[in-house]
Amino acid sequence: MSALLKNPRRESVEIDDDDTMMPPAEENGDPDSRQDQEDALIALIEHRAQEVEHNRRRREYYQSKLVEAEKRLNESQTKLARLRSQNKAASTKVSPSNGIKSVKEERRSMSPIPLRSRPQSKTELLIPAVTPKVSQPPKVAGSSGKAQVSSSSQASPAVSSQSISASKEKGDKSYRSSSKQDVEVQDKGTKRKFEEKEHKELIPMVRTSSKPSIIQCHSNNHISSHHKRKLRCLYMCPVNDQLFATSALDGLVNLWEVQGRGSGASLLSTTDCQSPKQRRWPEDIAWHPHGNSLFSVYTADGGESQVSVLNLNRTQGKPRVTFLEAKPHVKGIINSIVFPPWENTCFVTGGSDHAVVLWKETDAENVWKPKQLHRSIHSSAVMGVAGMWQKQIILSVGADKRIVGFNANMERTEFKHQIDSKCMSVLPNPCDFNLFMVQAGTHEKQLRLYDIRLRQTEIHAFGWKQESSDSQSALINQAWSPDGLYISSGTADPMIHIFDIRYNAQKPSQSIKAHQKRVFKAVWLCTSPFSFLYPLI
């Protein structure tokens, strides 16, 4: 990392891979030339040392994977031997061909496969290693290992030898990489498996500490996003936190797989998800709770298709991207889409037409029935929506400064609250089901915490001083840590702010400078000691 930070523009120095081909400085008779060659060799040595370290880490990772795979194989063989011995006692011989009717294959991490080269994009993903200084750290903390770093115009070694292997599929403009990664899908017609999450009381911990818990960031890893234009969204898969998706203004949706313990990520597929008429990019995306598809929302203007479904499984003879026929929004951009944490699968959209719409799944494939929950409660654009566990309440926030709780089951408004500035997003806490966060436009008080039981009482507020701009961008987003104690936020400045809800001050518990331009979001990786951060520039 040090070599890259000391010489961030070293990509402009041309270095021959064959060191012996470089002419001796004495023959040139130029001291400056000799010095340049020495600097180039030093840079080359540092780069190759980092490459060796990265490959060593990859080797250790795959060796551990091999041990796990061998252990699972031995367990399966033991079970088969036990089954055969039991059947033999009953005078019934079982063969693998007729005794086992169906075997569910375990999902396994795909090893990186060299892909064809593709021009690098300007935007990047950034993966910093983090370690907190607390005795009981959150799930995002842990490893103190050094992550491989790449220069800003070059992909990291985890993906530098990989790019998109483009092959058009029939019926759409999607592109699949040669890794052939698919997401396991449940049988058609089955309900979403509802797992009651454990509720944890975090609200009593809010504002109880005079000192924040600091997360140590040792190094980072820049990865080419493979998007031609600015990034717009990044979301982790709800059933496999080794997968995440990105979308950008080029209309492409990329599917990624985390490599190792977060030291890199490999691109699995790229799909063109532009709307059919106006060729609009997705404004927001959301994972289906089963993790087998991605939903994107667009605009309601010009009779445009409003929602698309990207099927991540291969279906013979069917297009990979389908657009829903229903068009319940009447005008403007659809700003937000989210799947509430309920047993019956559904999703909610909020748009610039002041409307909040609930879409319910039907028996027919890719047919969702929309139902308008309300259109007159908000007097301006609905900027964010979210689903709460209690009473099937849908939270919506808007540019009209209002926070609305609507009971989707009883079809009535539970509460309304108006704050001092426009609202741009709402985010429930993953552990305490009574706690949620609203992003506002007030400087140095952008993040507000609420208890849904107290309705209109603000229990804490966080914020930061913005240097580069007076306006608060609606594209700035936040993310909860898996343990529900931290909030990460992008900013219009090249900073990533982290807030500890236990900290009694309103300022960030720490700020990380990781980019050269504004950062729109920072997403936590649940089971690895890294969080994904990315700029939209």
Side-chain angles (χ1 to χ4, degrees):
M1 172 181 176
S2 59
L4 293 170
L5 295 180
K6 290 177 182 177
N7 189 11
R9 296 181 57 86
R10 81 170 188 279
E11 65 272 12
S12 61
V13 180
E14 297 183 1
I15 303 175
D16 197 322
D17 285 339
D18 187 357
D19 302 342
T20 61
M21 295 299 294
M22 300 181 65
E26 291 81 3
E27 295 179 7
N28 296 338
D30 188 355
D32 292 337
S33 175
R34 176 171 179 173
Q35 184 61 41
D36 290 343
Q37 291 175 21
E38 288 182 357
D39 292 343
L41 281 172
I42 292 172
L44 179 61
I45 291 171
E46 291 177 346
H47 169 73
R48 289 180 174 173
Q50 290 181 352
E51 188 176 16
V52 169
E53 177 64 21
H54 171 72
N55 288 329
R56 183 180 293 112
R57 291 180 179 274
R58 293 179 65 185
R59 182 189 64 186
E60 293 173 355
Y61 168 72
Y62 286 112
Q63 283 177 344
S64 65
K65 282 291 184 180
L66 176 61
V67 172
E68 293 175 4
E70 290 175 344
K71 182 178 178 181
R72 291 194 296 267
L73 175 61
N74 292 333
E75 290 175 353
S76 299
Q77 290 173 340
T78 302
K79 290 179 181 179
L80 179 60
R82 188 182 301 115
L83 178 63
R84 284 178 171 173
S85 63
Q86 293 174 355
N87 290 343
K88 185 176 182 181
S91 301
T92 305
K93 193 171 184 178
V94 179
S95 66
S97 60
N98 58 21
I100 303 174
K101 293 184 177 180
S102 62
V103 177
K104 182 178 180 180
E105 293 187 16
E106 298 183 36
R107 299 189 74 248
R108 59 186 181 276
S109 175
M110 302 295 291
S111 60
I113 299 176
L115 308 175
R116 291 185 303 181
S117 178
R118 174 175 176 166
Q120 301 293 335
S121 60
K122 294 182 179 179
T123 55
E124 294 175 344
L125 300 171
L126 175 62
I127 307 176
V130 297
T131 303
K133 285 184 178 178
V134 292
S135 58
Q136 294 180 346
K139 294 181 183 178
V140 293
S143 172
S144 60
K146 206 172 187 180
Q148 179 65 31
V149 183
S150 173
S151 62
S152 60
S153 65
Q154 170 183 359
S156 72
V159 293
S160 60
S161 63
Q162 305 176 28
S163 183
I164 301 171
S165 178
S167 59
K168 280 198 174 183
E169 290 196 5
K170 185 177 181 180
D172 69 295
K173 294 184 177 181
S174 67
Y175 299 86
R176 299 299 306 274
S177 73
S178 60
S179 63
K180 299 181 181 179
Q181 175 77 17
D182 280 331
V183 179
E184 183 181 353
V185 84
Q186 295 188 2
D187 292 338
K188 179 179 176 291
T190 59
K191 281 189 175 182
R192 171 186 176 184
K193 183 179 180 181
F194 183 73
E195 297 180 359
E196 185 68 33
K197 292 181 64 177
E198 180 184 359
H199 171 76
K200 296 181 180 179
E201 289 286 346
L202 300 182
I203 292 178
M205 303 171 64
V206 175
R207 304 180 65 177
T208 58
S209 176
S210 59
K211 294 182 180 180
S213 297
I214 304 300
I215 299 176
Q216 294 179 342
C217 297
H218 297 287
S219 56
N220 52 50
N221 192 0
H222 290 81
I223 300 175
S224 170
S225 70
H226 293 290
H227 285 289
K228 298 178 181 178
R229 298 185 63 188
K230 297 177 183 178
L231 282 161
R232 174 59 61 91
C233 302
L234 184 150
Y235 290 100
M236 304 300 299
C237 178
V239 298
N240 182 357
D241 71 349
Q242 300 301 300
L243 299 177
F244 65 97
T246 59
S247 70
L249 301 185
D250 55 9
L252 302 179
V253 173
N254 288 347
L255 180 65
W256 299 80
E257 182 181 38
V258 178
Q259 295 296 320
R261 290 179 55 81
S263 60
S266 60
L267 182 64
L268 299 179
S269 67
T270 297
T271 306
D272 187 346
C273 291
Q274 295 182 91
S275 61
K277 289 185 178 181
Q278 303 180 30
R279 310 303 294 162
R280 292 276 302 185
W281 56 83
E283 296 290 343
D284 192 21
I285 62 176
W287 283 87
H288 189 282
H290 294 162
N292 53 23
S293 56
L294 284 161
F295 286 61
S296 303
V297 290
Y298 302 86
T299 178
D301 294 333
E304 184 66 283
S305 297
Q306 298 182 8
V307 181
S308 72
V309 182
L310 167 58
N311 183 10
L312 298 178
N313 287 328
R314 295 181 175 180
T315 306
Q316 190 67 26
K318 294 183 179 180
R320 219 159 122 72
V321 179
T322 56
F323 291 86
L324 304 187
E325 294 183 2
K327 301 175 182 179
H329 290 276
V330 296
K331 66 177 180 179
I333 293 173
I334 303 172
N335 297 304
S336 181
I337 177 174
V338 67
F339 280 84
W342 304 338
E343 182 175 6
N344 296 322
T345 304
C346 59
F347 67 90
V348 182
T349 56
S352 299
D353 58 351
H354 313 176
V356 174
V357 178
L358 177 68
W359 303 67
K360 292 186 176 181
E361 192 174 21
T362 65
D363 293 334
E365 185 178 7
N366 278 335
V367 177
W368 294 75
K369 184 179 180 181
K371 180 180 181 180
Q372 180 179 296
L373 295 181
H374 56 85
R375 192 186 298 273
S376 58
I377 299 179
H378 286 283
S379 60
S380 188
V382 176
M383 302 302 297
V385 291
M388 301 293 287
W389 291 82
Q390 306 92 328
K391 301 181 182 179
Q392 295 195 356
I393 291 179
I394 294 294
L395 295 176
S396 59
V397 296
D400 56 359
K401 308 178 183 180
R402 291 178 184 172
I403 305 170
V404 175
F406 190 88
N407 191 318
N409 189 29
M410 303 298 293
E411 298 185 6
R412 69 185 184 192
T413 302
E414 290 285 333
F415 65 90
K416 289 190 293 183
H417 176 43
Q418 188 161 346
I419 63 174
D420 56 359
S421 61
K422 63 181 179 179
C423 306
M424 286 165 288
S425 66
V426 57
L427 202 60
N429 187 280
C431 297
D432 192 323
F433 303 152
N434 297 313
L435 181 64
F436 66 92
M437 181 217 69
V438 173
Q439 182 195 177
T442 304
H443 279 242
E444 300 187 55
K445 197 180 176 182
Q446 288 93 337
L447 308 184
R448 321 286 180 90
L449 296 183
Y450 293 92
D451 185 339
I452 196 171
R453 298 166 296 185
L454 302 178
R455 306 296 172 86
Q456 300 179 1
T457 304
E458 179 183 290
I459 62 175
H460 198 9
F462 296 108
W464 62 89
K465 187 176 181 180
Q466 190 167 285
E467 301 290 345
S468 61
S469 174
D470 292 333
S471 62
Q472 179 73 13
S473 173
L475 296 177
I476 298 294
N477 282 287
Q478 291 76 38
W480 286 101
S481 64
D483 58 7
L485 296 176
Y486 297 90
I487 301 172
S488 59
S489 177
T491 66
D493 304 320
M495 302 291 292
I496 298 139
H497 294 311
I498 297 178
F499 301 89
D500 183 352
I501 67 172
R502 298 163 293 185
Y503 190 28
N504 58 16
Q506 291 189 342
K507 63 182 180 180
S509 59
Q510 67 186 107
S511 298
I512 305 168
K513 186 172 183 179
H515 297 290
Q516 300 301 317
K517 295 186 178 180
R518 60 181 176 176
V519 182
F520 280 1
K521 195 174 185 180
V523 180
W524 303 76
L525 184 60
C526 295
T527 58
S528 293
F530 302 94
S531 53
F532 282 86
L533 314 175
Y534 69 99
L536 295 94
I537 57 179

